[in-house]
Amino acid sequence: MTAPRIAACPRCGASTRLDPQNPWRPFCSERCKLIDLGDWMSGRFALPVTEEHESEGEPDGAQPPQ
Ligand SMILES: [Zn+2]
């Protein structure tokens, strides 16, 4: 049983071999892999940036123990 594992390229849908001989698996080529990575990166950087203030919870005027 040496049937090659074939899957559709997540990027373009082309039949792609999922064996170690394919360095770009699960993509069909370097181009598809880079395009997919670029999309992921752009989506990540497109997320809205919100500033977080974590100074809450510290009451002002706390008396030191005597
Ligand atoms: Zn492809």
Short mmCIF file of all heavy atoms in Angstrom, two decimals:
data_model
loop_
_atom_site.label_atom_id
_atom_site.label_comp_id
_atom_site.label_asym_id
_atom_site.label_seq_id
_atom_site.Cartn_x
_atom_site.Cartn_y
_atom_site.Cartn_z
N MET A 1 0.84 -1.20 0.00
CA MET A 1 0.00 0.00 0.00
C MET A 1 0.87 1.24 0.00
O MET A 1 1.29 1.73 1.02
CB MET A 1 -0.90 0.00 1.23
CG MET A 1 -1.95 -1.10 1.18
SD MET A 1 -3.00 -1.08 2.62
CE MET A 1 -3.78 0.54 2.48
N THR A 2 1.16 1.73 -1.17
CA THR A 2 1.99 2.93 -1.27
C THR A 2 1.25 4.02 -2.05
O THR A 2 1.84 4.77 -2.78
CB THR A 2 3.32 2.61 -1.95
OG1 THR A 2 3.04 2.02 -3.21
CG2 THR A 2 4.16 1.68 -1.12
N ALA A 3 -0.05 4.06 -1.88
CA ALA A 3 -0.83 5.08 -2.59
C ALA A 3 -0.46 6.45 -2.05
O ALA A 3 -0.47 6.67 -0.85
CB ALA A 3 -2.31 4.82 -2.39
N PRO A 4 -0.09 7.35 -2.93
CA PRO A 4 0.27 8.69 -2.49
C PRO A 4 -0.94 9.41 -1.93
O PRO A 4 -2.06 9.24 -2.41
CB PRO A 4 0.77 9.38 -3.77
CG PRO A 4 0.10 8.64 -4.88
CD PRO A 4 -0.06 7.22 -4.39
N ARG A 5 -0.71 10.17 -0.91
CA ARG A 5 -1.81 10.92 -0.31
C ARG A 5 -2.00 12.21 -1.12
O ARG A 5 -1.09 13.03 -1.21
CB ARG A 5 -1.48 11.26 1.14
CG ARG A 5 -1.32 10.02 1.99
CD ARG A 5 -0.96 10.39 3.41
NE ARG A 5 -1.94 11.28 4.02
CZ ARG A 5 -1.75 11.96 5.13
NH1 ARG A 5 -0.60 11.87 5.76
NH2 ARG A 5 -2.68 12.74 5.63
N ILE A 6 -3.17 12.33 -1.67
CA ILE A 6 -3.48 13.48 -2.51
C ILE A 6 -4.56 14.32 -1.83
O ILE A 6 -5.54 13.79 -1.34
CB ILE A 6 -3.98 13.05 -3.91
CG1 ILE A 6 -2.91 12.19 -4.59
CG2 ILE A 6 -4.31 14.26 -4.77
CD1 ILE A 6 -1.65 12.94 -4.93
N ALA A 7 -4.33 15.60 -1.80
CA ALA A 7 -5.33 16.51 -1.25
C ALA A 7 -5.38 17.75 -2.11
O ALA A 7 -4.43 18.06 -2.83
CB ALA A 7 -5.00 16.87 0.20
N ALA A 8 -6.47 18.46 -2.01
CA ALA A 8 -6.59 19.69 -2.78
C ALA A 8 -5.80 20.79 -2.09
O ALA A 8 -5.84 20.94 -0.87
CB ALA A 8 -8.05 20.10 -2.89
N CYS A 9 -5.07 21.56 -2.89
CA CYS A 9 -4.32 22.69 -2.35
C CYS A 9 -5.31 23.66 -1.70
O CYS A 9 -6.30 24.05 -2.33
CB CYS A 9 -3.55 23.37 -3.47
SG CYS A 9 -2.79 24.94 -2.99
N PRO A 10 -5.07 24.05 -0.44
CA PRO A 10 -6.00 24.96 0.24
C PRO A 10 -6.12 26.30 -0.46
O PRO A 10 -7.05 27.06 -0.22
CB PRO A 10 -5.38 25.12 1.63
CG PRO A 10 -4.44 23.99 1.80
CD PRO A 10 -3.96 23.65 0.41
N ARG A 11 -5.14 26.60 -1.31
CA ARG A 11 -5.11 27.91 -1.95
C ARG A 11 -5.80 27.91 -3.31
O ARG A 11 -6.64 28.73 -3.59
CB ARG A 11 -3.65 28.35 -2.11
CG ARG A 11 -3.49 29.79 -2.50
CD ARG A 11 -3.91 30.70 -1.35
NE ARG A 11 -4.81 31.73 -1.82
CZ ARG A 11 -5.52 32.53 -1.02
NH1 ARG A 11 -5.42 32.41 0.26
NH2 ARG A 11 -6.31 33.42 -1.50
N CYS A 12 -5.40 26.97 -4.17
CA CYS A 12 -5.92 26.99 -5.53
C CYS A 12 -6.73 25.74 -5.87
O CYS A 12 -7.36 25.69 -6.90
CB CYS A 12 -4.77 27.16 -6.52
SG CYS A 12 -3.71 25.72 -6.65
N GLY A 13 -6.70 24.75 -4.99
CA GLY A 13 -7.52 23.57 -5.22
C GLY A 13 -6.89 22.53 -6.09
O GLY A 13 -7.51 21.53 -6.41
N ALA A 14 -5.64 22.74 -6.49
CA ALA A 14 -4.97 21.77 -7.34
C ALA A 14 -4.61 20.52 -6.54
O ALA A 14 -4.40 20.58 -5.33
CB ALA A 14 -3.71 22.38 -7.93
N SER A 15 -4.59 19.39 -7.22
CA SER A 15 -4.22 18.16 -6.54
C SER A 15 -2.79 18.26 -6.04
O SER A 15 -1.89 18.58 -6.79
CB SER A 15 -4.36 16.97 -7.49
OG SER A 15 -5.72 16.81 -7.85
N THR A 16 -2.61 18.00 -4.76
CA THR A 16 -1.31 18.19 -4.14
C THR A 16 -0.92 16.93 -3.39
O THR A 16 -1.74 16.34 -2.69
CB THR A 16 -1.37 19.37 -3.15
OG1 THR A 16 -1.90 20.49 -3.82
CG2 THR A 16 0.01 19.68 -2.61
N ARG A 17 0.32 16.53 -3.53
CA ARG A 17 0.81 15.36 -2.81
C ARG A 17 1.20 15.77 -1.40
O ARG A 17 1.88 16.78 -1.20
CB ARG A 17 2.01 14.75 -3.53
CG ARG A 17 1.65 14.17 -4.88
CD ARG A 17 2.85 13.54 -5.51
NE ARG A 17 3.42 12.49 -4.66
CZ ARG A 17 4.06 11.42 -5.15
NH1 ARG A 17 4.21 11.28 -6.43
NH2 ARG A 17 4.54 10.53 -4.33
N LEU A 18 0.79 14.98 -0.42
CA LEU A 18 1.09 15.31 0.97
C LEU A 18 2.24 14.45 1.49
O LEU A 18 2.25 14.07 2.64
CB LEU A 18 -0.16 15.07 1.83
CG LEU A 18 -1.36 15.98 1.49
CD1 LEU A 18 -2.51 15.66 2.42
CD2 LEU A 18 -0.98 17.45 1.61
N ASP A 19 3.20 14.17 0.63
CA ASP A 19 4.33 13.37 1.09
C ASP A 19 5.53 14.28 1.31
O ASP A 19 5.53 15.45 0.90
CB ASP A 19 4.66 12.26 0.11
CG ASP A 19 4.93 12.80 -1.27
OD1 ASP A 19 5.53 13.89 -1.38
OD2 ASP A 19 4.53 12.16 -2.25
N PRO A 20 6.55 13.79 2.01
CA PRO A 20 7.71 14.62 2.34
C PRO A 20 8.44 15.16 1.11
O PRO A 20 9.24 16.09 1.23
CB PRO A 20 8.61 13.66 3.13
CG PRO A 20 7.69 12.63 3.66
CD PRO A 20 6.62 12.46 2.63
N GLN A 21 8.15 14.59 -0.06
CA GLN A 21 8.81 15.10 -1.26
C GLN A 21 8.25 16.45 -1.68
O GLN A 21 8.83 17.14 -2.50
CB GLN A 21 8.65 14.09 -2.41
CG GLN A 21 9.45 12.82 -2.18
CD GLN A 21 9.30 11.86 -3.34
OE1 GLN A 21 8.30 11.87 -4.03
NE2 GLN A 21 10.31 11.03 -3.54
N ASN A 22 7.13 16.80 -1.11
CA ASN A 22 6.53 18.10 -1.42
C ASN A 22 6.81 19.06 -0.26
O ASN A 22 6.14 19.02 0.77
CB ASN A 22 5.02 17.95 -1.65
CG ASN A 22 4.34 19.30 -1.85
OD1 ASN A 22 5.01 20.31 -2.06
ND2 ASN A 22 3.04 19.31 -1.77
N PRO A 23 7.82 19.92 -0.40
CA PRO A 23 8.18 20.82 0.70
C PRO A 23 7.13 21.86 0.98
O PRO A 23 7.18 22.53 2.02
CB PRO A 23 9.48 21.46 0.21
CG PRO A 23 9.41 21.39 -1.28
CD PRO A 23 8.63 20.15 -1.60
N TRP A 24 6.18 22.02 0.08
CA TRP A 24 5.18 23.09 0.27
C TRP A 24 3.86 22.54 0.77
O TRP A 24 2.87 23.27 0.82
CB TRP A 24 4.96 23.83 -1.06
CG TRP A 24 6.22 24.14 -1.76
CD1 TRP A 24 6.61 23.67 -2.98
CD2 TRP A 24 7.28 24.97 -1.30
NE1 TRP A 24 7.85 24.16 -3.29
CE2 TRP A 24 8.28 24.96 -2.29
CE3 TRP A 24 7.48 25.71 -0.14
CZ2 TRP A 24 9.48 25.66 -2.14
CZ3 TRP A 24 8.67 26.42 0.00
CH2 TRP A 24 9.65 26.39 -0.99
N ARG A 25 3.83 21.24 1.09
CA ARG A 25 2.56 20.67 1.54
C ARG A 25 2.04 21.43 2.75
O ARG A 25 2.86 21.87 3.58
CB ARG A 25 2.73 19.19 1.84
CG ARG A 25 3.63 18.90 3.05
CD ARG A 25 3.89 17.41 3.13
NE ARG A 25 4.55 17.07 4.38
CZ ARG A 25 5.84 17.23 4.60
NH1 ARG A 25 6.61 17.73 3.64
NH2 ARG A 25 6.37 16.93 5.76
N PRO A 26 0.78 21.61 2.95
CA PRO A 26 -0.28 21.04 2.10
C PRO A 26 -0.59 21.86 0.86
O PRO A 26 -1.61 21.63 0.23
CB PRO A 26 -1.48 21.04 3.05
CG PRO A 26 -1.29 22.27 3.88
CD PRO A 26 0.23 22.39 4.05
N PHE A 27 0.29 22.78 0.52
CA PHE A 27 0.05 23.58 -0.68
C PHE A 27 0.73 22.90 -1.86
O PHE A 27 1.58 22.04 -1.69
CB PHE A 27 0.58 25.00 -0.50
CG PHE A 27 -0.04 25.69 0.69
CD1 PHE A 27 0.62 25.73 1.90
CD2 PHE A 27 -1.28 26.29 0.58
CE1 PHE A 27 0.04 26.35 3.00
CE2 PHE A 27 -1.87 26.92 1.67
CZ PHE A 27 -1.20 26.95 2.88
N CYS A 28 0.37 23.34 -3.08
CA CYS A 28 0.89 22.70 -4.27
C CYS A 28 2.22 23.31 -4.67
O CYS A 28 2.99 22.72 -5.41
CB CYS A 28 -0.11 22.81 -5.41
SG CYS A 28 -0.33 24.49 -6.05
N SER A 29 2.52 24.51 -4.20
CA SER A 29 3.73 25.19 -4.64
C SER A 29 4.12 26.25 -3.63
O SER A 29 3.35 26.62 -2.73
CB SER A 29 3.51 25.85 -6.01
OG SER A 29 2.53 26.86 -5.88
N GLU A 30 5.34 26.76 -3.80
CA GLU A 30 5.81 27.81 -2.91
C GLU A 30 4.92 29.04 -3.02
O GLU A 30 4.64 29.73 -2.05
CB GLU A 30 7.25 28.18 -3.27
CG GLU A 30 7.81 29.30 -2.40
CD GLU A 30 9.23 29.66 -2.80
OE1 GLU A 30 9.65 29.31 -3.90
OE2 GLU A 30 9.90 30.30 -1.99
N ARG A 31 4.48 29.29 -4.25
CA ARG A 31 3.67 30.49 -4.49
C ARG A 31 2.38 30.43 -3.66
O ARG A 31 2.02 31.40 -2.98
CB ARG A 31 3.34 30.58 -5.98
CG ARG A 31 2.65 31.86 -6.36
CD ARG A 31 2.76 32.12 -7.85
NE ARG A 31 1.62 32.90 -8.31
CZ ARG A 31 0.60 32.40 -8.97
NH1 ARG A 31 0.59 31.13 -9.29
NH2 ARG A 31 -0.40 33.14 -9.33
N CYS A 32 1.70 29.28 -3.71
CA CYS A 32 0.45 29.17 -2.96
C CYS A 32 0.71 29.29 -1.47
O CYS A 32 -0.07 29.89 -0.74
CB CYS A 32 -0.23 27.83 -3.27
SG CYS A 32 -1.14 27.87 -4.83
N LYS A 33 1.80 28.73 -1.00
CA LYS A 33 2.10 28.80 0.41
C LYS A 33 2.34 30.26 0.84
O LYS A 33 1.83 30.73 1.85
CB LYS A 33 3.34 27.97 0.72
CG LYS A 33 3.65 27.91 2.20
CD LYS A 33 4.82 26.98 2.45
CE LYS A 33 5.08 26.87 3.95
NZ LYS A 33 6.13 25.89 4.26
N LEU A 34 3.10 30.99 0.03
CA LEU A 34 3.39 32.38 0.37
C LEU A 34 2.14 33.24 0.29
O LEU A 34 1.94 34.13 1.13
CB LEU A 34 4.47 32.93 -0.58
CG LEU A 34 5.84 32.30 -0.39
CD1 LEU A 34 6.83 32.89 -1.39
CD2 LEU A 34 6.36 32.50 1.03
N ILE A 35 1.31 32.98 -0.70
CA ILE A 35 0.08 33.76 -0.82
C ILE A 35 -0.81 33.53 0.40
O ILE A 35 -1.37 34.46 0.97
CB ILE A 35 -0.67 33.38 -2.11
CG1 ILE A 35 0.12 33.87 -3.33
CG2 ILE A 35 -2.07 33.98 -2.11
CD1 ILE A 35 -0.48 33.39 -4.65
N ASP A 36 -0.92 32.27 0.80
CA ASP A 36 -1.76 31.96 1.94
C ASP A 36 -1.20 32.61 3.20
O ASP A 36 -1.92 33.18 4.01
CB ASP A 36 -1.84 30.45 2.11
CG ASP A 36 -2.95 30.09 3.09
OD1 ASP A 36 -4.12 30.06 2.65
OD2 ASP A 36 -2.65 29.85 4.27
N LEU A 37 0.10 32.55 3.36
CA LEU A 37 0.74 33.16 4.54
C LEU A 37 0.52 34.67 4.51
O LEU A 37 0.24 35.28 5.53
CB LEU A 37 2.24 32.85 4.53
CG LEU A 37 3.01 33.38 5.73
CD1 LEU A 37 2.54 32.69 7.00
CD2 LEU A 37 4.50 33.15 5.55
N GLY A 38 0.61 35.26 3.33
CA GLY A 38 0.39 36.71 3.22
C GLY A 38 -1.02 37.08 3.61
O GLY A 38 -1.24 38.07 4.30
N ASP A 39 -1.99 36.27 3.19
CA ASP A 39 -3.37 36.55 3.56
C ASP A 39 -3.55 36.47 5.07
O ASP A 39 -4.20 37.29 5.67
CB ASP A 39 -4.30 35.53 2.89
CG ASP A 39 -4.54 35.89 1.44
OD1 ASP A 39 -4.03 36.93 1.00
OD2 ASP A 39 -5.25 35.13 0.77
N TRP A 40 -2.92 35.48 5.65
CA TRP A 40 -3.05 35.30 7.09
C TRP A 40 -2.44 36.47 7.83
O TRP A 40 -3.00 37.01 8.78
CB TRP A 40 -2.36 33.99 7.48
CG TRP A 40 -2.54 33.66 8.93
CD1 TRP A 40 -3.61 33.03 9.49
CD2 TRP A 40 -1.61 33.92 9.98
NE1 TRP A 40 -3.39 32.90 10.84
CE2 TRP A 40 -2.20 33.43 11.16
CE3 TRP A 40 -0.35 34.53 10.03
CZ2 TRP A 40 -1.55 33.54 12.39
CZ3 TRP A 40 0.28 34.63 11.25
CH2 TRP A 40 -0.30 34.14 12.42
N MET A 41 -1.29 36.91 7.35
CA MET A 41 -0.61 38.03 8.00
C MET A 41 -1.43 39.31 7.87
O MET A 41 -1.61 40.04 8.82
CB MET A 41 0.77 38.24 7.38
CG MET A 41 1.72 37.09 7.64
SD MET A 41 2.46 37.14 9.27
CE MET A 41 3.71 38.40 9.00
N SER A 42 -1.95 39.58 6.67
CA SER A 42 -2.71 40.81 6.45
C SER A 42 -3.98 40.78 7.30
O SER A 42 -4.40 41.79 7.85
CB SER A 42 -3.05 40.97 4.98
OG SER A 42 -3.84 39.88 4.54
N GLY A 43 -4.59 39.60 7.42
CA GLY A 43 -5.77 39.50 8.26
C GLY A 43 -5.43 39.76 9.71
O GLY A 43 -6.18 40.39 10.44
N ARG A 44 -4.26 39.30 10.12
CA ARG A 44 -3.85 39.49 11.50
C ARG A 44 -3.61 40.97 11.77
O ARG A 44 -4.06 41.50 12.78
CB ARG A 44 -2.57 38.70 11.73
CG ARG A 44 -1.98 38.85 13.11
CD ARG A 44 -0.65 38.10 13.14
NE ARG A 44 0.08 38.37 14.37
CZ ARG A 44 0.00 37.62 15.46
NH1 ARG A 44 -0.82 36.60 15.46
NH2 ARG A 44 0.69 37.90 16.53
N PHE A 45 -2.91 41.64 10.85
CA PHE A 45 -2.59 43.04 11.07
C PHE A 45 -3.81 43.93 10.86
O PHE A 45 -3.79 45.08 11.25
CB PHE A 45 -1.47 43.48 10.12
CG PHE A 45 -0.15 42.88 10.51
CD1 PHE A 45 0.65 42.26 9.58
CD2 PHE A 45 0.29 42.97 11.83
CE1 PHE A 45 1.87 41.72 9.94
CE2 PHE A 45 1.50 42.42 12.20
CZ PHE A 45 2.29 41.79 11.24
N ALA A 46 -4.86 43.38 10.26
CA ALA A 46 -6.06 44.18 10.02
C ALA A 46 -6.94 44.24 11.27
O ALA A 46 -7.90 44.97 11.31
CB ALA A 46 -6.86 43.61 8.86
N LEU A 47 -6.61 43.44 12.26
CA LEU A 47 -7.40 43.45 13.48
C LEU A 47 -7.31 44.81 14.15
O LEU A 47 -6.25 45.43 14.16
CB LEU A 47 -6.89 42.37 14.45
CG LEU A 47 -7.19 40.93 14.04
CD1 LEU A 47 -6.53 39.98 15.03
CD2 LEU A 47 -8.69 40.68 14.02
N PRO A 48 -8.42 45.27 14.71
CA PRO A 48 -8.40 46.57 15.39
C PRO A 48 -7.51 46.53 16.63
O PRO A 48 -7.50 45.55 17.37
CB PRO A 48 -9.87 46.80 15.76
CG PRO A 48 -10.48 45.44 15.80
CD PRO A 48 -9.73 44.63 14.76
N VAL A 49 -6.79 47.59 16.79
CA VAL A 49 -5.89 47.66 17.95
C VAL A 49 -6.57 48.42 19.07
O VAL A 49 -7.05 49.53 18.88
CB VAL A 49 -4.57 48.36 17.57
CG1 VAL A 49 -3.67 48.46 18.78
CG2 VAL A 49 -3.88 47.61 16.44
N THR A 50 -6.64 47.82 20.22
CA THR A 50 -7.27 48.48 21.37
C THR A 50 -6.25 48.59 22.49
O THR A 50 -5.53 47.64 22.78
CB THR A 50 -8.49 47.69 21.85
OG1 THR A 50 -8.08 46.37 22.16
CG2 THR A 50 -9.57 47.65 20.78
N GLU A 51 -6.22 49.74 23.08
CA GLU A 51 -5.29 49.92 24.20
C GLU A 51 -5.93 49.39 25.47
O GLU A 51 -7.10 49.61 25.73
CB GLU A 51 -4.94 51.40 24.36
CG GLU A 51 -4.14 51.94 23.19
CD GLU A 51 -3.68 53.37 23.49
OE1 GLU A 51 -3.74 53.77 24.66
OE2 GLU A 51 -3.30 54.06 22.54
N GLU A 52 -5.14 48.69 26.22
CA GLU A 52 -5.67 48.13 27.46
C GLU A 52 -4.99 48.81 28.65
O GLU A 52 -3.78 48.97 28.69
CB GLU A 52 -5.39 46.62 27.52
CG GLU A 52 -6.24 45.85 26.51
CD GLU A 52 -6.05 44.35 26.69
OE1 GLU A 52 -5.65 43.94 27.79
OE2 GLU A 52 -6.27 43.61 25.72
N HIS A 53 -5.84 49.22 29.57
CA HIS A 53 -5.29 49.82 30.79
C HIS A 53 -5.57 48.86 31.95
O HIS A 53 -6.71 48.54 32.23
CB HIS A 53 -5.95 51.17 31.05
CG HIS A 53 -5.70 52.16 29.94
ND1 HIS A 53 -4.51 52.83 29.82
CD2 HIS A 53 -6.48 52.55 28.90
CE1 HIS A 53 -4.59 53.62 28.75
NE2 HIS A 53 -5.76 53.46 28.17
N GLU A 54 -4.55 48.42 32.56
CA GLU A 54 -4.72 47.44 33.64
C GLU A 54 -4.39 48.07 34.99
O GLU A 54 -3.89 47.43 35.90
CB GLU A 54 -3.82 46.24 33.39
CG GLU A 54 -4.20 45.52 32.10
CD GLU A 54 -3.40 44.24 31.94
OE1 GLU A 54 -2.67 43.90 32.87
OE2 GLU A 54 -3.50 43.62 30.88
N SER A 55 -4.65 49.39 35.10
CA SER A 55 -4.34 50.06 36.36
C SER A 55 -5.53 50.02 37.31
O SER A 55 -5.47 50.51 38.41
CB SER A 55 -3.93 51.51 36.11
OG SER A 55 -4.95 52.18 35.42
N GLU A 56 -6.65 49.41 36.83
CA GLU A 56 -7.82 49.35 37.71
C GLU A 56 -7.59 48.33 38.81
O GLU A 56 -6.78 47.43 38.70
CB GLU A 56 -9.05 48.95 36.90
CG GLU A 56 -9.52 50.06 35.97
CD GLU A 56 -10.80 49.68 35.27
OE1 GLU A 56 -11.86 49.77 35.91
OE2 GLU A 56 -10.72 49.28 34.11
N GLY A 57 -8.34 48.47 39.90
CA GLY A 57 -8.24 47.50 40.98
C GLY A 57 -7.23 47.90 42.02
O GLY A 57 -7.08 47.24 43.04
N GLU A 58 -6.52 49.02 41.79
CA GLU A 58 -5.57 49.46 42.81
C GLU A 58 -6.12 50.73 43.45
O GLU A 58 -6.02 51.80 42.88
CB GLU A 58 -4.21 49.74 42.18
CG GLU A 58 -3.06 49.21 43.01
CD GLU A 58 -1.75 49.28 42.25
OE1 GLU A 58 -1.65 48.65 41.19
OE2 GLU A 58 -0.87 49.99 42.72
N PRO A 59 -6.75 50.60 44.61
CA PRO A 59 -7.41 51.76 45.22
C PRO A 59 -6.42 52.84 45.62
O PRO A 59 -5.33 52.55 46.11
CB PRO A 59 -8.11 51.16 46.45
CG PRO A 59 -7.32 49.94 46.78
CD PRO A 59 -6.83 49.41 45.45
N ASP A 60 -6.87 54.08 45.37
CA ASP A 60 -6.00 55.20 45.79
C ASP A 60 -6.16 55.44 47.28
O ASP A 60 -7.19 55.17 47.88
CB ASP A 60 -6.42 56.46 45.04
CG ASP A 60 -5.93 56.43 43.60
OD1 ASP A 60 -4.90 55.78 43.37
OD2 ASP A 60 -6.60 57.02 42.73
N GLY A 61 -5.15 55.95 47.91
CA GLY A 61 -5.21 56.30 49.33
C GLY A 61 -5.14 55.09 50.23
O GLY A 61 -5.63 55.11 51.33
N ALA A 62 -4.56 54.01 49.76
CA ALA A 62 -4.43 52.83 50.62
C ALA A 62 -3.46 53.14 51.76
O ALA A 62 -2.35 53.66 51.52
CB ALA A 62 -3.92 51.65 49.81
N GLN A 63 -3.89 52.86 52.98
CA GLN A 63 -3.04 53.15 54.13
C GLN A 63 -2.09 52.00 54.38
O GLN A 63 -2.52 50.84 54.43
CB GLN A 63 -3.92 53.37 55.38
CG GLN A 63 -4.92 54.48 55.25
CD GLN A 63 -4.26 55.85 55.30
OE1 GLN A 63 -3.16 56.00 55.85
NE2 GLN A 63 -4.90 56.86 54.72
N PRO A 64 -0.85 52.31 54.56
CA PRO A 64 0.11 51.24 54.88
C PRO A 64 -0.14 50.73 56.29
O PRO A 64 -0.45 51.51 57.18
CB PRO A 64 1.48 51.91 54.78
CG PRO A 64 1.21 53.37 54.97
CD PRO A 64 -0.22 53.60 54.45
N PRO A 65 -0.01 49.44 56.51
CA PRO A 65 -0.23 48.87 57.87
C PRO A 65 0.80 49.39 58.84
O PRO A 65 1.97 49.55 58.52
CB PRO A 65 -0.10 47.36 57.66
CG PRO A 65 0.71 47.23 56.40
CD PRO A 65 0.39 48.43 55.54
N GLN A 66 0.34 49.67 60.09
CA GLN A 66 1.26 50.20 61.08
C GLN A 66 1.47 49.19 62.22
O GLN A 66 0.55 48.54 62.62
CB GLN A 66 0.70 51.51 61.65
CG GLN A 66 0.72 52.58 60.62
CD GLN A 66 0.20 53.89 61.19
OE1 GLN A 66 -0.26 53.93 62.34
NE2 GLN A 66 0.28 54.97 60.42
ZN ZN B 1 -1.97 25.74 -5.07
#
